[in-house]
Amino acid sequence: MNNQLSKKNIFKSPYLLLGPALLFYLMFWFFPVILSLIQSFTATTGEFSFINYQRMFSSPDFPKAFLNTITFAFVSLILQFVIALGLALLVNKNFKGSKLFLFIMLIPMALPQSAIGILWNLGLQQTGWINSFMQKIGLQSLLESMKIINGRIIWKDVSGMKAVFMLILIDTWTVTPSVMIIMLAGLQNFNNEYKEAAQVFGATKFQALKDVVIPIIKPSLITALLLRLISGLQVWLIGVMIFGFERTPFLLERIVYYSNKLRTEESYKVAVSYSVFTLIVVLVSAIIFVKLFKGKDWREE
Amino acid sequence: MSKNIIKPTLLYILISGIVLLVIIPLLYLTTVSFSNSLEINSFPKKIVPSFSETILVKYDDESELYLIQRRTPRGDVEDIYLFSDFEKASKYLKDYLNIFASKEKLETDFSAAKTSSEAIELKYKKKMFNNYIKFFQVFQGADTALYNSVKAAIYTILISAIFGGFVGYALARTKIKGKEAVSMATLVVRMFPIVSISVPMAVLLIKYGMFDTMLGISIIYSIPNIGLTAWITRSIFLSVNKELEEASMVFGATKMQTFFKITFPLVIPAFAASSMYAFITAWNDTAVALLLTDRNQTLALLIYKSIGTSSSMHYAASGAILLILPALVFTFLLKNYINKIWG
């Protein structure tokens, strides 16, 4: 019986099942990654050279792009973590309408990036909805009477780090609700008696939070924040949709700029170098993050 | 006693504050998408959409011309259109105010202005979804882009389900070694910025003849999704009762029959979840489509490119709403998998 079955078994070797996916990743993931490595080290003439990296590192936009990307990823991560944790702890009660509340909180994370770009672009114009709203609730006249502003604010008239921080705020609007939802899910599984026990033994509220609550919701948190960090390092679209190219350079923005805007063979090579560099930045950041925050079983979640 | 009231009140104030912070921007976007060409240029903008438009009509005996005026949000009156030809007036109202009124209707409505020395006030219903229709006319190729987005999503769903499903089955049901390595690999693959892969991918796709095709970009979208499908299906295959399968085989079904008649129907929910995720990846992406297509754009890419056209931002807003709706529906259906899809 058993023998007969195994003869009919078309999935004879279990490794065969992994075959198609393995082949797919070899062809469309591993091969391009290797190809980009090779291409980044070859000049347009075809011989081995560091010229592409030289071009990348010596371009004045490179340090800006690198700094902006790192700043964006880490500041937004910390900001979103703190705000989301605060909100989650406050809201962690079964209040009337909590289901509807969570439903609404899900909306921003569902929005496609380019729609978010349109949304905030409409807001940041001088006659956009942000200024309209300030006018309607009287904030405009209040600030004007206090001589803080003079006329409508030209939101897009910022550059450098200020512009990066504006993008961080937009990103925070987009993803904080979802970070909060993940934390709430963790908190809801969490038995409040632990916290109370800690407080009985003399822990302050803050200590109980730090030593009891956070460690318990940590596993779901780490994965979520890791993915957040990785996508934070991949910021570019919102910057381009609000400020255009070059105002707020990011690593990925440079990739798109060199490969899609310039479209020469030389610029393509620089784009490939940026690709390799970004890969390294993402991997190194992810490894550091995991090393810092998680023990040995960080893959389980 | 008073403490018991204060705390919940503060909580509700906080919660309403957060909700408003999320809702107000979206409400404005929706309102802009329903705005006519005059509303889009006025300030301050309305929070909620208006369903009708009130115009003032004056008739000048000397020049024999009608003048259409409109109240601005600040309360002033501005002249918007001077005419004698009702045909053109009807077209003007349609194009700029989203008011659909025939030439004959306008003639009868406006005749009162001839006898009145003051301006007469007329209220017309706006055609609410006019911008959504206009979106497809103003942005050339928007319909093809919509079709392309759906096509790319379907390819991504199929590729991910087929390749990922096999891996999920193998991880759950067979005694293969190196499961750890496989799970590690899927995570590492997800960490690689998809844009970084897209640049060298362009060369490969040109070589394979798949550059500027939906199949080409779907391959990139599938890269993170195959691993994810494997994860979701693995957990479901694990939960399917093995005894049920054995019973089926005892009654003489082959392993193939058992798989397709017993196991597969039970794991369909897992495939539904991973398909929705695949849909969202393909539907929401802009970057890969920008780098790997030329003429065949997707809807998200078209919306991204519409940012430069400041005069038709209300049409772009309608397009953005069209782009948002499916993504919203699928995200809500997926909310149980939120931990996995999120990133």
Side-chain angles (χ1 to χ4, degrees):
Chain A
M1 178 77 192
N2 223 339
N3 215 356
Q4 215 178 356
L5 259 183
S6 65
K7 258 184 202 164
K8 281 182 188 168
N9 185 359
I10 58 154
F11 308 127
K12 221 171 193 170
S13 162
Y15 295 97
L16 217 62
L17 290 167
L18 299 181
L22 206 65
L23 206 67
F24 182 92
Y25 280 124
L26 269 180
M27 257 176 91
F28 298 115
W29 182 78
F30 187 69
F31 189 36
V33 169
I34 296 299
L35 197 70
S36 64
L37 262 177
I38 295 169
Q39 283 181 343
S40 70
F41 283 108
T42 45
T44 42
T45 49
E47 70 245 8
F48 178 84
S49 128
F50 289 107
I51 184 81
N52 305 313
Y53 286 98
Q54 267 168 20
R55 283 206 182 101
M56 177 181 87
F57 286 124
S58 63
S59 86
D61 286 323
F62 173 78
K64 276 193 228 159
F66 181 60
L67 191 69
N68 285 351
T69 305
I70 295 289
T71 313
F72 181 93
F74 285 92
V75 174
S76 63
L77 187 73
I78 293 164
L79 195 66
Q80 287 153 18
F81 171 75
V82 172
I83 296 176
L85 184 66
L87 291 179
L89 288 171
L90 278 169
V91 177
N92 181 30
K93 278 157 196 147
N94 274 326
F95 55 91
K96 245 188 193 169
S98 58
K99 277 219 168 118
L100 180 71
F101 174 71
L102 292 182
F103 185 82
I104 291 168
M105 289 297 104
L106 264 174
I107 300 174
M109 70 164 293
L111 305 180
Q113 284 280 316
S114 52
I116 294 172
I118 297 279
L119 169 64
W120 289 96
N121 200 47
L122 286 168
L124 295 167
Q125 284 164 5
Q126 222 192 333
T127 59
W129 59 260
I130 293 180
N131 280 342
S132 298
F133 188 68
M134 283 174 64
Q135 181 96 28
K136 283 230 166 103
I137 61 169
L139 193 62
Q140 181 78 27
S141 45
L142 181 76
L143 291 177
E144 269 176 28
S145 68
M146 287 163 72
K147 298 255 157 57
I148 294 173
I149 53 169
N150 186 18
R152 280 178 244 159
I153 302 174
I154 310 168
W155 296 99
K156 286 200 192 176
D157 199 21
V158 290
S159 55
M161 269 301 155
K162 263 193 189 165
V164 174
F165 276 98
M166 192 178 263
L167 297 176
I168 289 176
L169 288 182
I170 293 175
D171 189 59
T172 304
W173 177 86
T174 317
V175 299
T176 308
S178 48
V179 185
M180 191 195 72
I181 287 174
I182 290 173
M183 289 176 176
L184 270 179
L187 285 172
Q188 251 132 43
N189 296 329
F190 165 78
N191 193 338
N192 242 333
E193 281 164 25
Y194 292 130
K195 194 170 126 194
E196 279 157 21
Q199 281 172 342
V200 166
F201 284 108
T204 63
K205 267 197 172 168
F206 177 72
Q207 280 174 329
L209 174 72
K210 188 173 107 342
D211 296 330
V212 181
V213 180
I214 291 185
I216 287 177
I217 60 170
K218 201 170 150 187
S220 57
L221 216 59
I222 294 290
T223 321
L225 289 179
L226 177 64
L227 290 176
R228 207 47 262 134
L229 174 70
I230 292 169
S231 59
L233 289 167
Q234 298 181 45
V235 59
W236 73 275
L237 190 109
I238 189 74
V240 171
M241 281 189 86
I242 286 173
F243 297 115
F245 280 101
E246 309 213 276
R247 266 280 274 297
T248 48
F250 290 110
L251 289 175
L252 287 203
E253 182 256 7
R254 292 288 91 194
I255 296 178
V256 177
Y257 178 78
Y258 278 108
S259 65
N260 201 264
K261 278 265 155 190
L262 297 183
R263 282 178 188 245
T264 64
E265 211 175 324
E266 209 173 85
S267 74
Y268 169 77
K269 291 271 181 186
V270 179
V272 174
S273 310
Y274 265 107
S275 295
V276 174
F277 184 75
T278 313
L279 281 181
I280 294 165
V281 170
V282 171
L283 283 183
V284 168
S285 311
I287 290 167
I288 291 174
F289 179 84
V290 168
K291 282 255 148 78
L292 274 180
F293 293 104
K294 204 156 182 179
K296 52 183 180 350
D297 62 338
W298 60 282
R299 276 159 283 154
E300 302 293 40
E301 239 298 304
Chain B
M1 181 65 197
S2 67
K3 234 187 174 177
N4 285 345
I5 302 170
I6 289 172
K7 248 196 165 175
T9 315
L10 282 178
L11 181 71
Y12 273 102
I13 290 174
L14 180 84
I15 287 167
S16 338
I18 305 167
V19 168
L20 284 180
L21 217 58
V22 170
I23 290 292
I24 286 173
L26 293 166
L27 200 57
Y28 268 112
L29 178 70
T30 316
T31 306
V32 168
S33 82
F34 288 123
S35 295
N36 59 38
S37 298
L38 296 180
E39 283 171 304
I40 185 81
N41 289 318
S42 65
F43 183 86
K45 291 188 168 49
K46 293 195 183 86
I47 296 190
V48 286
S50 64
F51 294 94
S52 62
E53 183 75 49
T54 306
I55 54 170
L56 302 169
V57 183
K58 254 186 195 169
Y59 181 71
D60 185 46
D61 289 318
E62 265 174 55
S63 59
E64 296 185 343
L65 289 174
Y66 287 92
L67 174 67
I68 301 179
Q69 295 172 313
R70 181 175 172 273
R71 285 205 184 88
T72 64
R74 286 177 173 172
D76 315 329
V77 173
E78 62 172 358
D79 300 347
I80 52 174
Y81 192 61
L82 192 67
F83 74 98
S84 60
D85 182 351
F86 276 96
E87 188 95 45
K88 279 182 186 159
S90 169
K91 193 177 179 315
Y92 174 83
L93 290 178
K94 185 177 144 210
D95 288 346
Y96 287 87
L97 284 110
N98 293 359
I99 294 172
F100 282 63
S102 67
K103 177 187 155 202
E104 291 76 22
K105 183 168 167 36
L106 290 181
E107 272 171 10
T108 46
D109 287 352
F110 286 13
S111 61
K114 272 191 170 174
T115 53
S116 160
S117 55
E118 297 274 300
I120 59 160
E121 208 174 290
L122 291 167
K123 197 172 169 183
Y124 287 98
K125 265 201 183 131
K126 261 164 63 182
K127 194 172 176 194
M128 289 315 278
F129 289 95
N130 193 40
N131 290 354
Y132 288 77
I133 299 157
K134 269 276 189 82
F135 167 73
F136 288 98
Q137 294 161 359
V138 172
F139 294 101
Q140 288 281 309
D143 45 350
T144 332
L146 177 66
Y147 170 70
N148 279 342
S149 278
V150 174
K151 204 158 111 184
I154 291 174
Y155 283 144
T156 311
I157 289 170
L158 290 178
I159 297 172
S160 312
I162 294 168
F163 288 90
F166 279 127
V167 178
Y169 184 83
L171 288 176
R173 284 305 173 74
T174 62
K175 293 187 188 98
I176 53 167
K177 280 174 192 145
K179 282 183 193 178
E180 278 282 284
V182 175
S183 66
M184 210 24 215
T186 50
L187 198 80
V188 170
V189 166
R190 271 191 89 181
M191 276 185 197
F192 276 60
I194 215 160
V195 174
S196 290
I197 297 170
S198 300
V199 179
M201 216 32 203
V203 181
L204 280 183
L205 288 184
I206 290 169
K207 211 183 270 170
Y208 299 150
M210 286 193 288
F211 186 78
D212 200 19
T213 65
M214 291 306 117
L215 186 63
I217 60 174
S218 308
I219 286 171
I220 305 278
Y221 299 147
S222 302
I223 289 172
N225 277 319
I226 290 174
L228 194 88
T229 308
W231 274 115
I232 298 177
T233 49
R234 183 195 82 113
S235 59
I236 302 286
F237 276 123
L238 277 175
S239 68
V240 171
N241 197 339
K242 243 188 167 170
E243 281 153 24
L244 209 63
E245 291 175 339
E246 279 161 11
S248 142
M249 283 189 276
V250 167
F251 284 110
T254 64
K255 198 149 191 179
M256 275 288 267
Q257 283 171 329
T258 306
F259 181 80
F260 283 108
K261 293 213 167 128
I262 308 286
T263 319
F264 189 69
L266 288 169
V267 296
I268 277 182
F271 280 104
S274 55
S275 301
M276 283 187 259
Y277 177 71
F279 177 91
I280 292 171
T281 322
W283 184 265
N284 287 10
D285 166 79
T286 311
V288 175
L290 179 64
L291 293 176
L292 296 181
T293 63
D294 188 19
R295 276 191 223 139
N296 289 317
Q297 43 189 357
T298 60
L299 190 60
L301 181 59
L302 185 115
I303 301 288
Y304 161 79
K305 285 182 177 165
S306 76
I307 204 87
T309 55
S310 57
S311 62
S312 38
M313 277 310 280
H314 45 321
Y315 305 131
S318 311
I321 298 272
L322 287 179
L323 184 70
I324 287 171
L325 287 177
L328 211 55
V329 170
F330 284 112
T331 306
F332 281 120
L333 291 174
L334 262 181
K335 65 177 185 299
N336 294 335
Y337 289 89
I338 216 102
N339 261 314
K340 292 243 160 67
I341 72 164
W342 183 74

